[in-house]
Amino acid sequence: MKYKVGVCQFKPKLLDLEFNLKKMENILSDVEADLIVLPELVTSGYIFCEKKEVQSMAEKAEEGPTSKLFRKLSKKNNTSYVVGFVEDANNKFYNSAMLVNPDGEIFVYRKIQLFFEEKFFFEYGDLGFNVFKAKKGVRVGLMICFDWIYPEAARTLALKGAQIIAHPANLVLPWCQQAMITRSVENQVYTITANRIGKETNKDKELTFTGHSQIVSSKGKIIKRLSENEETLFVTEIEPELADDKKVTIHNDVLKDRMTEYYL
Ligand code: ACM
């Protein structure tokens, strides 16, 4: 089955939810695909100095402005979306991503491997690594940014049947894009890393994000890697069923042949 997937590289405006949602709506409103992945915390920006900034960006997954916009876009464009946001779950704040489907269904992942000062502002994700059905029943596993450095995250998603790993990110270290090729190869899954671009400052803090969002095939081919600095939406066709074949030779299946008795 041909499946149209997209990756949206974006620069959010810090602490301006309304502006960011409007800009995303403009970029996405006339684009039909099957699945489009957007960056981590794309609704809020990344650098927080105080908990009350986090709180001001936080929303309920099911009822907030982000799910409202993406439900509308999803229905209109018959497209599933994965989008990062600040989740408020009973006054606990999570660095989360939601998968929004054209039928209005929403699934949530809460980031498990918190990076750097995220540890001061967010709770650790408590929902595990899970795989959900997106449009046409394609199985999409969710992880966020720094989860990449723990191969167990992508492996868990592959063992749970993911054909595509949707990976919203705000990358600042130099290794992830190369590492995700390996995550694809070792699990024989497609990976879509949607990164943000630009320099962000808040008081005396500053970070530069690395761009180079990418789509990698289940055989480890970089189907597309975007530039370092441009806000872009790229859409292409893939075949998700190719990720169901875990054989790398006729005698080696990357999942079935795991020698689990030797692993910690
Ligand atoms: C990251 O996890 N945002 C690097």
Side-chain angles (χ1 to χ4, degrees), residues 14-264:
L14 184 64
L15 304 178
D16 197 337
L17 182 61
E18 204 179 318
F19 176 91
N20 293 327
L21 289 178
K22 191 77 220 154
K23 193 158 84 159
M24 281 186 268
E25 183 169 18
N26 288 339
I27 292 171
L28 297 169
S29 67
D30 294 323
V31 181
E32 257 193 67
D34 293 308
L35 172 71
I36 294 177
V37 184
L38 294 111
E40 176 186 16
L41 296 175
V42 71
T43 58
S44 61
Y46 185 76
I47 302 178
F48 297 106
C49 291
E50 296 175 64
K51 196 93 180 205
K52 70 171 195 274
E53 292 173 338
V54 180
Q55 190 167 15
S56 73
M57 293 288 104
E59 54 184 303
K60 303 261 187 280
E62 282 284 339
E63 295 150 31
T66 301
S67 59
K68 185 163 175 233
L69 170 65
F70 279 89
R71 273 195 172 116
K72 182 175 93 173
L73 285 171
S74 191
K75 194 165 168 201
K76 172 175 170 286
N77 293 335
N78 192 24
T79 300
S80 292
Y81 298 96
V82 173
V83 53
F85 70 109
V86 182
E87 185 185 3
D88 174 353
N90 300 318
N91 286 320
K92 286 184 171 173
F93 304 122
Y94 295 93
N95 178 341
S96 295
M98 63 172 82
L99 165 66
V100 185
N101 282 336
D103 63 4
E105 240 178 341
I106 286 188
F107 301 102
V108 173
Y109 167 66
R110 295 176 177 158
K111 186 175 184 179
I112 290 175
Q113 302 291 350
L114 296 178
F115 178 70
F116 198 51
E117 294 184 353
E118 290 171 33
K119 294 184 174 193
F120 308 147
F121 297 107
F122 294 106
E123 305 293 322
Y124 284 89
D126 56 356
L127 301 175
F129 293 104
N130 290 303
V131 175
F132 306 105
K133 289 203 170 144
K135 186 181 155 189
K136 297 181 180 165
V138 166
R139 300 186 306 276
V140 175
L142 301 185
M143 58 185 234
I144 297 178
C145 207
F146 198 53
D147 288 330
W148 72 266
I149 209 165
Y150 298 88
E152 296 90 342
R155 173 52 53 87
T156 301
L157 292 171
L159 287 169
K160 289 188 172 183
Q163 294 167 305
I164 301 170
I165 293 178
H167 180 217
N170 274 195
L171 295 161
V172 293
L173 300 177
W175 305 299
C176 174
Q177 289 88 342
Q178 285 305 104
M180 287 308 288
I181 299 169
T182 304
R183 297 291 98 79
S184 274
V185 170
E186 68 201 2
N187 295 296
Q188 299 283 296
V189 289
Y190 287 92
T191 56
I192 303 177
T193 298
N195 194 15
R196 62 163 288 183
I197 55 163
K199 196 175 273 209
E200 189 171 273
T201 53
N202 190 352
K203 303 209 171 76
D204 60 342
K205 299 184 192 182
E206 180 173 291
L207 287 172
T208 301
F209 300 92
T210 59
H212 295 307
S213 298
Q214 63 185 24
I215 301 175
V216 180
S217 80
S218 58
K219 300 294 171 208
K221 177 172 181 284
I222 302 171
I223 296 171
K224 183 73 178 179
R225 183 176 279 172
L226 299 178
S227 72
E228 190 180 343
N229 283 316
E230 259 175 300
E231 254 182 347
T232 325
L233 172 62
F234 174 80
V235 177
T236 189
E237 272 184 355
I238 65 166
E239 291 184 63
E241 299 91 340
L242 295 180
D244 295 333
D245 175 12
K246 300 302 181 190
K247 283 199 157 61
V248 290
T249 76
I250 56 168
H251 303 299
N252 297 93
D253 179 305
V254 292
L255 295 189
K256 285 204 188 105
D257 295 350
R258 293 164 66 236
M259 303 293 275
T260 54
E261 64 270 42
Y262 295 110
Y263 306 154
L264 289 180

